[in-house]
Amino acid sequence: MRGDNDPEQAQHPPGAGTGQSDGWDRLWTPHRMAYIKGEGRPTGPGADEGCPFCRAPGLSDPEGLLVARGEHTYAVLNLYPYNSGHLLVCPYRHVSEYTSLTADETAELGELTQAGIHALTAAYSPHGFNVGMNLGTVAGAGIAAHLHQHIVPRWGGDTNFMPVIGHTKVLPEMLEQTRAKLVEHWPPR
């Protein structure tokens, strides 16, 4: 084991051998590798084929990152958020088409979306929101078999070089912290 005064340590500082320094800092996001590799993606379109939106409500709220539960729908944090606070509102029922929702599911999906916007506004003061659904794989749905609505808080200037050039999002807090803030600010029903 080398000591602090080891001359070999001085010749080979940490990071030596990793290439020429380019003057850039590195932002390591190893948790993103699960997304890149497709870990946790359903193996098929059925509810029993690994659907994370069918699995999440069966976990405790903190473990499943659930923020609120309704009778027909629930709000959950996105595991791979575009921005801090990125929420998903999902029906409990495994259904892919918006037109297949019942009137009660549709109404509650809207109610939880409004509640999510209120909670995000109170917790983070975003300048705006993107709210919507990607219906079908060709429309950009990562998990097309289980409908889910995105609520993405936005701030002026939040689209900078990191996502545009580096395909990386900088998130200032852990998902557990985000969940706790949103639960604290969730409006009563």
PDB file of all heavy atoms in Angstrom, residues 88-120:
ATOM      1  N   LEU A  88     -45.455  10.431 -13.743  1.00  0.00           N
ATOM      2  CA  LEU A  88     -46.290   9.655 -14.655  1.00  0.00           C
ATOM      3  C   LEU A  88     -47.609   9.380 -13.944  1.00  0.00           C
ATOM      4  O   LEU A  88     -47.614   9.038 -12.764  1.00  0.00           O
ATOM      5  CB  LEU A  88     -45.617   8.329 -15.012  1.00  0.00           C
ATOM      6  CG  LEU A  88     -44.228   8.420 -15.640  1.00  0.00           C
ATOM      7  CD1 LEU A  88     -43.608   7.037 -15.749  1.00  0.00           C
ATOM      8  CD2 LEU A  88     -44.284   9.102 -16.978  1.00  0.00           C
ATOM      9  N   VAL A  89     -48.710   9.544 -14.645  1.00  0.00           N
ATOM     10  CA  VAL A  89     -50.018   9.182 -14.112  1.00  0.00           C
ATOM     11  C   VAL A  89     -50.499   7.980 -14.915  1.00  0.00           C
ATOM     12  O   VAL A  89     -50.570   8.044 -16.153  1.00  0.00           O
ATOM     13  CB  VAL A  89     -51.019  10.347 -14.198  1.00  0.00           C
ATOM     14  CG1 VAL A  89     -52.364   9.942 -13.609  1.00  0.00           C
ATOM     15  CG2 VAL A  89     -50.475  11.581 -13.465  1.00  0.00           C
ATOM     16  N   CYS A  90     -50.791   6.885 -14.210  1.00  0.00           N
ATOM     17  CA  CYS A  90     -51.103   5.613 -14.861  1.00  0.00           C
ATOM     18  C   CYS A  90     -52.410   5.038 -14.328  1.00  0.00           C
ATOM     19  O   CYS A  90     -52.672   5.135 -13.134  1.00  0.00           O
ATOM     20  CB  CYS A  90     -50.014   4.582 -14.549  1.00  0.00           C
ATOM     21  SG  CYS A  90     -48.338   5.100 -14.862  1.00  0.00           S
ATOM     22  N   PRO A  91     -53.164   4.378 -15.186  1.00  0.00           N
ATOM     23  CA  PRO A  91     -54.277   3.591 -14.653  1.00  0.00           C
ATOM     24  C   PRO A  91     -53.703   2.317 -14.022  1.00  0.00           C
ATOM     25  O   PRO A  91     -52.649   1.833 -14.433  1.00  0.00           O
ATOM     26  CB  PRO A  91     -55.111   3.257 -15.892  1.00  0.00           C
ATOM     27  CG  PRO A  91     -54.140   3.308 -17.023  1.00  0.00           C
ATOM     28  CD  PRO A  91     -53.094   4.323 -16.649  1.00  0.00           C
ATOM     29  N   TYR A  92     -54.383   1.800 -13.012  1.00  0.00           N
ATOM     30  CA  TYR A  92     -53.964   0.510 -12.447  1.00  0.00           C
ATOM     31  C   TYR A  92     -54.152  -0.585 -13.488  1.00  0.00           C
ATOM     32  O   TYR A  92     -53.358  -1.507 -13.581  1.00  0.00           O
ATOM     33  CB  TYR A  92     -54.787   0.155 -11.208  1.00  0.00           C
ATOM     34  CG  TYR A  92     -54.503   1.036 -10.012  1.00  0.00           C
ATOM     35  CD1 TYR A  92     -55.437   1.966  -9.579  1.00  0.00           C
ATOM     36  CD2 TYR A  92     -53.316   0.914  -9.300  1.00  0.00           C
ATOM     37  CE1 TYR A  92     -55.191   2.761  -8.473  1.00  0.00           C
ATOM     38  CE2 TYR A  92     -53.056   1.705  -8.197  1.00  0.00           C
ATOM     39  CZ  TYR A  92     -53.997   2.631  -7.791  1.00  0.00           C
ATOM     40  OH  TYR A  92     -53.747   3.413  -6.698  1.00  0.00           O
ATOM     41  N   ARG A  93     -55.200  -0.450 -14.271  1.00  0.00           N
ATOM     42  CA  ARG A  93     -55.537  -1.464 -15.273  1.00  0.00           C
ATOM     43  C   ARG A  93     -54.518  -1.420 -16.409  1.00  0.00           C
ATOM     44  O   ARG A  93     -54.157  -0.350 -16.897  1.00  0.00           O
ATOM     45  CB  ARG A  93     -56.951  -1.191 -15.798  1.00  0.00           C
ATOM     46  CG  ARG A  93     -57.537  -2.293 -16.631  1.00  0.00           C
ATOM     47  CD  ARG A  93     -59.044  -2.121 -16.777  1.00  0.00           C
ATOM     48  NE  ARG A  93     -59.433  -0.870 -17.413  1.00  0.00           N
ATOM     49  CZ  ARG A  93     -59.702  -0.742 -18.714  1.00  0.00           C
ATOM     50  NH1 ARG A  93     -59.616  -1.778 -19.518  1.00  0.00           N
ATOM     51  NH2 ARG A  93     -60.069   0.429 -19.201  1.00  0.00           N
ATOM     52  N   HIS A  94     -54.064  -2.575 -16.813  1.00  0.00           N
ATOM     53  CA  HIS A  94     -53.086  -2.704 -17.902  1.00  0.00           C
ATOM     54  C   HIS A  94     -53.816  -2.502 -19.232  1.00  0.00           C
ATOM     55  O   HIS A  94     -54.462  -3.427 -19.737  1.00  0.00           O
ATOM     56  CB  HIS A  94     -52.426  -4.089 -17.841  1.00  0.00           C
ATOM     57  CG  HIS A  94     -51.299  -4.263 -18.810  1.00  0.00           C
ATOM     58  ND1 HIS A  94     -50.013  -3.867 -18.524  1.00  0.00           N
ATOM     59  CD2 HIS A  94     -51.270  -4.792 -20.054  1.00  0.00           C
ATOM     60  CE1 HIS A  94     -49.236  -4.159 -19.547  1.00  0.00           C
ATOM     61  NE2 HIS A  94     -49.978  -4.726 -20.494  1.00  0.00           N
ATOM     62  N   VAL A  95     -53.737  -1.298 -19.763  1.00  0.00           N
ATOM     63  CA  VAL A  95     -54.427  -0.948 -20.998  1.00  0.00           C
ATOM     64  C   VAL A  95     -53.514  -0.018 -21.794  1.00  0.00           C
ATOM     65  O   VAL A  95     -52.821   0.821 -21.221  1.00  0.00           O
ATOM     66  CB  VAL A  95     -55.809  -0.294 -20.707  1.00  0.00           C
ATOM     67  CG1 VAL A  95     -55.672   0.963 -19.874  1.00  0.00           C
ATOM     68  CG2 VAL A  95     -56.581  -0.028 -21.956  1.00  0.00           C
ATOM     69  N   SER A  96     -53.475  -0.178 -23.111  1.00  0.00           N
ATOM     70  CA  SER A  96     -52.558   0.615 -23.923  1.00  0.00           C
ATOM     71  C   SER A  96     -53.221   1.793 -24.629  1.00  0.00           C
ATOM     72  O   SER A  96     -52.546   2.751 -24.988  1.00  0.00           O
ATOM     73  CB  SER A  96     -51.874  -0.277 -24.967  1.00  0.00           C
ATOM     74  OG  SER A  96     -52.834  -0.813 -25.857  1.00  0.00           O
ATOM     75  N   GLU A  97     -54.507   1.739 -24.830  1.00  0.00           N
ATOM     76  CA  GLU A  97     -55.186   2.772 -25.620  1.00  0.00           C
ATOM     77  C   GLU A  97     -55.953   3.747 -24.735  1.00  0.00           C
ATOM     78  O   GLU A  97     -56.716   3.328 -23.860  1.00  0.00           O
ATOM     79  CB  GLU A  97     -56.163   2.123 -26.616  1.00  0.00           C
ATOM     80  CG  GLU A  97     -55.485   1.246 -27.652  1.00  0.00           C
ATOM     81  CD  GLU A  97     -54.546   2.029 -28.545  1.00  0.00           C
ATOM     82  OE1 GLU A  97     -54.838   3.203 -28.870  1.00  0.00           O
ATOM     83  OE2 GLU A  97     -53.496   1.453 -28.917  1.00  0.00           O
ATOM     84  N   TYR A  98     -55.796   5.019 -24.992  1.00  0.00           N
ATOM     85  CA  TYR A  98     -56.533   6.043 -24.255  1.00  0.00           C
ATOM     86  C   TYR A  98     -58.041   5.853 -24.441  1.00  0.00           C
ATOM     87  O   TYR A  98     -58.812   6.042 -23.506  1.00  0.00           O
ATOM     88  CB  TYR A  98     -56.089   7.432 -24.728  1.00  0.00           C
ATOM     89  CG  TYR A  98     -56.739   8.566 -23.973  1.00  0.00           C
ATOM     90  CD1 TYR A  98     -56.398   8.829 -22.652  1.00  0.00           C
ATOM     91  CD2 TYR A  98     -57.680   9.374 -24.593  1.00  0.00           C
ATOM     92  CE1 TYR A  98     -56.992   9.864 -21.961  1.00  0.00           C
ATOM     93  CE2 TYR A  98     -58.284  10.412 -23.905  1.00  0.00           C
ATOM     94  CZ  TYR A  98     -57.934  10.649 -22.589  1.00  0.00           C
ATOM     95  OH  TYR A  98     -58.528  11.677 -21.902  1.00  0.00           O
ATOM     96  N   THR A  99     -58.425   5.456 -25.621  1.00  0.00           N
ATOM     97  CA  THR A  99     -59.852   5.256 -25.907  1.00  0.00           C
ATOM     98  C   THR A  99     -60.430   4.033 -25.203  1.00  0.00           C
ATOM     99  O   THR A  99     -61.636   3.842 -25.191  1.00  0.00           O
ATOM    100  CB  THR A  99     -60.089   5.136 -27.431  1.00  0.00           C
ATOM    101  OG1 THR A  99     -59.239   4.103 -27.945  1.00  0.00           O
ATOM    102  CG2 THR A  99     -59.775   6.450 -28.134  1.00  0.00           C
ATOM    103  N   SER A 100     -59.585   3.222 -24.578  1.00  0.00           N
ATOM    104  CA  SER A 100     -60.052   2.059 -23.831  1.00  0.00           C
ATOM    105  C   SER A 100     -60.303   2.361 -22.353  1.00  0.00           C
ATOM    106  O   SER A 100     -60.805   1.508 -21.631  1.00  0.00           O
ATOM    107  CB  SER A 100     -59.033   0.917 -23.934  1.00  0.00           C
ATOM    108  OG  SER A 100     -58.908   0.496 -25.275  1.00  0.00           O
ATOM    109  N   LEU A 101     -59.938   3.564 -21.909  1.00  0.00           N
ATOM    110  CA  LEU A 101     -60.177   3.924 -20.515  1.00  0.00           C
ATOM    111  C   LEU A 101     -61.666   4.096 -20.264  1.00  0.00           C
ATOM    112  O   LEU A 101     -62.409   4.556 -21.132  1.00  0.00           O
ATOM    113  CB  LEU A 101     -59.465   5.233 -20.159  1.00  0.00           C
ATOM    114  CG  LEU A 101     -57.942   5.229 -20.150  1.00  0.00           C
ATOM    115  CD1 LEU A 101     -57.416   6.625 -19.841  1.00  0.00           C
ATOM    116  CD2 LEU A 101     -57.400   4.223 -19.153  1.00  0.00           C
ATOM    117  N   THR A 102     -62.085   3.758 -19.057  1.00  0.00           N
ATOM    118  CA  THR A 102     -63.472   4.016 -18.662  1.00  0.00           C
ATOM    119  C   THR A 102     -63.614   5.514 -18.357  1.00  0.00           C
ATOM    120  O   THR A 102     -62.612   6.230 -18.207  1.00  0.00           O
ATOM    121  CB  THR A 102     -63.844   3.212 -17.404  1.00  0.00           C
ATOM    122  OG1 THR A 102     -63.082   3.718 -16.298  1.00  0.00           O
ATOM    123  CG2 THR A 102     -63.593   1.721 -17.595  1.00  0.00           C
ATOM    124  N   ALA A 103     -64.837   5.964 -18.224  1.00  0.00           N
ATOM    125  CA  ALA A 103     -65.083   7.367 -17.881  1.00  0.00           C
ATOM    126  C   ALA A 103     -64.462   7.696 -16.519  1.00  0.00           C
ATOM    127  O   ALA A 103     -63.869   8.784 -16.351  1.00  0.00           O
ATOM    128  CB  ALA A 103     -66.578   7.660 -17.881  1.00  0.00           C
ATOM    129  N   ASP A 104     -64.570   6.786 -15.565  1.00  0.00           N
ATOM    130  CA  ASP A 104     -63.994   7.018 -14.236  1.00  0.00           C
ATOM    131  C   ASP A 104     -62.468   7.089 -14.303  1.00  0.00           C
ATOM    132  O   ASP A 104     -61.845   7.924 -13.641  1.00  0.00           O
ATOM    133  CB  ASP A 104     -64.424   5.922 -13.259  1.00  0.00           C
ATOM    134  CG  ASP A 104     -65.897   6.015 -12.867  1.00  0.00           C
ATOM    135  OD1 ASP A 104     -66.496   7.110 -13.031  1.00  0.00           O
ATOM    136  OD2 ASP A 104     -66.445   4.994 -12.413  1.00  0.00           O
ATOM    137  N   GLU A 105     -61.841   6.191 -15.075  1.00  0.00           N
ATOM    138  CA  GLU A 105     -60.382   6.226 -15.231  1.00  0.00           C
ATOM    139  C   GLU A 105     -59.938   7.525 -15.894  1.00  0.00           C
ATOM    140  O   GLU A 105     -58.963   8.150 -15.463  1.00  0.00           O
ATOM    141  CB  GLU A 105     -59.904   5.028 -16.059  1.00  0.00           C
ATOM    142  CG  GLU A 105     -59.987   3.695 -15.337  1.00  0.00           C
ATOM    143  CD  GLU A 105     -59.760   2.506 -16.251  1.00  0.00           C
ATOM    144  OE1 GLU A 105     -60.077   2.585 -17.470  1.00  0.00           O
ATOM    145  OE2 GLU A 105     -59.276   1.471 -15.752  1.00  0.00           O
ATOM    146  N   THR A 106     -60.659   7.932 -16.929  1.00  0.00           N
ATOM    147  CA  THR A 106     -60.311   9.160 -17.646  1.00  0.00           C
ATOM    148  C   THR A 106     -60.414  10.369 -16.718  1.00  0.00           C
ATOM    149  O   THR A 106     -59.520  11.223 -16.691  1.00  0.00           O
ATOM    150  CB  THR A 106     -61.225   9.348 -18.871  1.00  0.00           C
ATOM    151  OG1 THR A 106     -61.102   8.199 -19.709  1.00  0.00           O
ATOM    152  CG2 THR A 106     -60.855  10.583 -19.660  1.00  0.00           C
ATOM    153  N   ALA A 107     -61.505  10.443 -15.953  1.00  0.00           N
ATOM    154  CA  ALA A 107     -61.699  11.571 -15.043  1.00  0.00           C
ATOM    155  C   ALA A 107     -60.608  11.615 -13.980  1.00  0.00           C
ATOM    156  O   ALA A 107     -60.037  12.679 -13.699  1.00  0.00           O
ATOM    157  CB  ALA A 107     -63.079  11.485 -14.396  1.00  0.00           C
ATOM    158  N   GLU A 108     -60.295  10.462 -13.404  1.00  0.00           N
ATOM    159  CA  GLU A 108     -59.289  10.449 -12.344  1.00  0.00           C
ATOM    160  C   GLU A 108     -57.891  10.701 -12.889  1.00  0.00           C
ATOM    161  O   GLU A 108     -57.068  11.334 -12.223  1.00  0.00           O
ATOM    162  CB  GLU A 108     -59.335   9.124 -11.581  1.00  0.00           C
ATOM    163  CG  GLU A 108     -58.543   9.191 -10.284  1.00  0.00           C
ATOM    164  CD  GLU A 108     -58.712   7.950  -9.451  1.00  0.00           C
ATOM    165  OE1 GLU A 108     -57.978   6.967  -9.715  1.00  0.00           O
ATOM    166  OE2 GLU A 108     -59.567   7.963  -8.547  1.00  0.00           O
ATOM    167  N   LEU A 109     -57.613  10.260 -14.104  1.00  0.00           N
ATOM    168  CA  LEU A 109     -56.333  10.547 -14.739  1.00  0.00           C
ATOM    169  C   LEU A 109     -56.157  12.065 -14.827  1.00  0.00           C
ATOM    170  O   LEU A 109     -55.097  12.607 -14.516  1.00  0.00           O
ATOM    171  CB  LEU A 109     -56.257   9.908 -16.123  1.00  0.00           C
ATOM    172  CG  LEU A 109     -54.905  10.028 -16.800  1.00  0.00           C
ATOM    173  CD1 LEU A 109     -54.188   8.682 -16.746  1.00  0.00           C
ATOM    174  CD2 LEU A 109     -55.053  10.466 -18.232  1.00  0.00           C
ATOM    175  N   GLY A 110     -57.229  12.766 -15.212  1.00  0.00           N
ATOM    176  CA  GLY A 110     -57.189  14.224 -15.280  1.00  0.00           C
ATOM    177  C   GLY A 110     -57.031  14.856 -13.908  1.00  0.00           C
ATOM    178  O   GLY A 110     -56.264  15.817 -13.736  1.00  0.00           O
ATOM    179  N   GLU A 111     -57.741  14.327 -12.912  1.00  0.00           N
ATOM    180  CA  GLU A 111     -57.643  14.860 -11.552  1.00  0.00           C
ATOM    181  C   GLU A 111     -56.236  14.708 -10.983  1.00  0.00           C
ATOM    182  O   GLU A 111     -55.694  15.635 -10.386  1.00  0.00           O
ATOM    183  CB  GLU A 111     -58.645  14.153 -10.634  1.00  0.00           C
ATOM    184  CG  GLU A 111     -60.094  14.490 -10.912  1.00  0.00           C
ATOM    185  CD  GLU A 111     -61.061  13.575 -10.169  1.00  0.00           C
ATOM    186  OE1 GLU A 111     -60.639  12.858  -9.230  1.00  0.00           O
ATOM    187  OE2 GLU A 111     -62.254  13.580 -10.539  1.00  0.00           O
ATOM    188  N   LEU A 112     -55.637  13.526 -11.175  1.00  0.00           N
ATOM    189  CA  LEU A 112     -54.276  13.321 -10.667  1.00  0.00           C
ATOM    190  C   LEU A 112     -53.263  14.143 -11.447  1.00  0.00           C
ATOM    191  O   LEU A 112     -52.252  14.574 -10.885  1.00  0.00           O
ATOM    192  CB  LEU A 112     -53.901  11.838 -10.679  1.00  0.00           C
ATOM    193  CG  LEU A 112     -54.506  10.976  -9.575  1.00  0.00           C
ATOM    194  CD1 LEU A 112     -53.951   9.549  -9.630  1.00  0.00           C
ATOM    195  CD2 LEU A 112     -54.275  11.561  -8.202  1.00  0.00           C
ATOM    196  N   THR A 113     -53.528  14.382 -12.716  1.00  0.00           N
ATOM    197  CA  THR A 113     -52.642  15.249 -13.505  1.00  0.00           C
ATOM    198  C   THR A 113     -52.678  16.666 -12.936  1.00  0.00           C
ATOM    199  O   THR A 113     -51.632  17.287 -12.732  1.00  0.00           O
ATOM    200  CB  THR A 113     -53.035  15.222 -14.993  1.00  0.00           C
ATOM    201  OG1 THR A 113     -52.890  13.884 -15.479  1.00  0.00           O
ATOM    202  CG2 THR A 113     -52.155  16.153 -15.814  1.00  0.00           C
ATOM    203  N   GLN A 114     -53.873  17.172 -12.655  1.00  0.00           N
ATOM    204  CA  GLN A 114     -53.991  18.504 -12.063  1.00  0.00           C
ATOM    205  C   GLN A 114     -53.311  18.553 -10.692  1.00  0.00           C
ATOM    206  O   GLN A 114     -52.585  19.505 -10.383  1.00  0.00           O
ATOM    207  CB  GLN A 114     -55.457  18.905 -11.925  1.00  0.00           C
ATOM    208  CG  GLN A 114     -56.110  19.268 -13.236  1.00  0.00           C
ATOM    209  CD  GLN A 114     -57.568  19.682 -13.054  1.00  0.00           C
ATOM    210  OE1 GLN A 114     -58.239  19.270 -12.107  1.00  0.00           O
ATOM    211  NE2 GLN A 114     -58.041  20.505 -13.972  1.00  0.00           N
ATOM    212  N   ALA A 115     -53.534  17.527  -9.871  1.00  0.00           N
ATOM    213  CA  ALA A 115     -52.915  17.487  -8.544  1.00  0.00           C
ATOM    214  C   ALA A 115     -51.392  17.450  -8.667  1.00  0.00           C
ATOM    215  O   ALA A 115     -50.683  18.110  -7.896  1.00  0.00           O
ATOM    216  CB  ALA A 115     -53.424  16.276  -7.765  1.00  0.00           C
ATOM    217  N   GLY A 116     -50.888  16.696  -9.643  1.00  0.00           N
ATOM    218  CA  GLY A 116     -49.445  16.636  -9.866  1.00  0.00           C
ATOM    219  C   GLY A 116     -48.870  17.990 -10.258  1.00  0.00           C
ATOM    220  O   GLY A 116     -47.802  18.383  -9.780  1.00  0.00           O
ATOM    221  N   ILE A 117     -49.577  18.710 -11.103  1.00  0.00           N
ATOM    222  CA  ILE A 117     -49.122  20.047 -11.497  1.00  0.00           C
ATOM    223  C   ILE A 117     -49.123  20.977 -10.283  1.00  0.00           C
ATOM    224  O   ILE A 117     -48.175  21.748 -10.079  1.00  0.00           O
ATOM    225  CB  ILE A 117     -49.988  20.586 -12.653  1.00  0.00           C
ATOM    226  CG1 ILE A 117     -49.715  19.779 -13.926  1.00  0.00           C
ATOM    227  CG2 ILE A 117     -49.736  22.080 -12.878  1.00  0.00           C
ATOM    228  CD1 ILE A 117     -50.688  20.050 -15.062  1.00  0.00           C
ATOM    229  N   HIS A 118     -50.167  20.900  -9.451  1.00  0.00           N
ATOM    230  CA  HIS A 118     -50.196  21.710  -8.224  1.00  0.00           C
ATOM    231  C   HIS A 118     -49.016  21.375  -7.310  1.00  0.00           C
ATOM    232  O   HIS A 118     -48.346  22.274  -6.797  1.00  0.00           O
ATOM    233  CB  HIS A 118     -51.510  21.491  -7.468  1.00  0.00           C
ATOM    234  CG  HIS A 118     -52.691  22.167  -8.066  1.00  0.00           C
ATOM    235  ND1 HIS A 118     -52.811  23.538  -8.171  1.00  0.00           N
ATOM    236  CD2 HIS A 118     -53.820  21.661  -8.611  1.00  0.00           C
ATOM    237  CE1 HIS A 118     -53.957  23.850  -8.745  1.00  0.00           C
ATOM    238  NE2 HIS A 118     -54.586  22.715  -9.032  1.00  0.00           N
ATOM    239  N   ALA A 119     -48.759  20.083  -7.094  1.00  0.00           N
ATOM    240  CA  ALA A 119     -47.670  19.661  -6.209  1.00  0.00           C
ATOM    241  C   ALA A 119     -46.313  20.084  -6.765  1.00  0.00           C
ATOM    242  O   ALA A 119     -45.462  20.587  -6.013  1.00  0.00           O
ATOM    243  CB  ALA A 119     -47.713  18.149  -6.007  1.00  0.00           C
ATOM    244  N   LEU A 120     -46.101  19.899  -8.055  1.00  0.00           N
ATOM    245  CA  LEU A 120     -44.834  20.299  -8.662  1.00  0.00           C
ATOM    246  C   LEU A 120     -44.635  21.806  -8.587  1.00  0.00           C
ATOM    247  O   LEU A 120     -43.525  22.283  -8.340  1.00  0.00           O
ATOM    248  CB  LEU A 120     -44.769  19.824 -10.122  1.00  0.00           C
ATOM    249  CG  LEU A 120     -44.534  18.328 -10.295  1.00  0.00           C
ATOM    250  CD1 LEU A 120     -44.920  17.882 -11.701  1.00  0.00           C
ATOM    251  CD2 LEU A 120     -43.089  17.977  -9.978  1.00  0.00           C
TER     252      LEU A 120
END
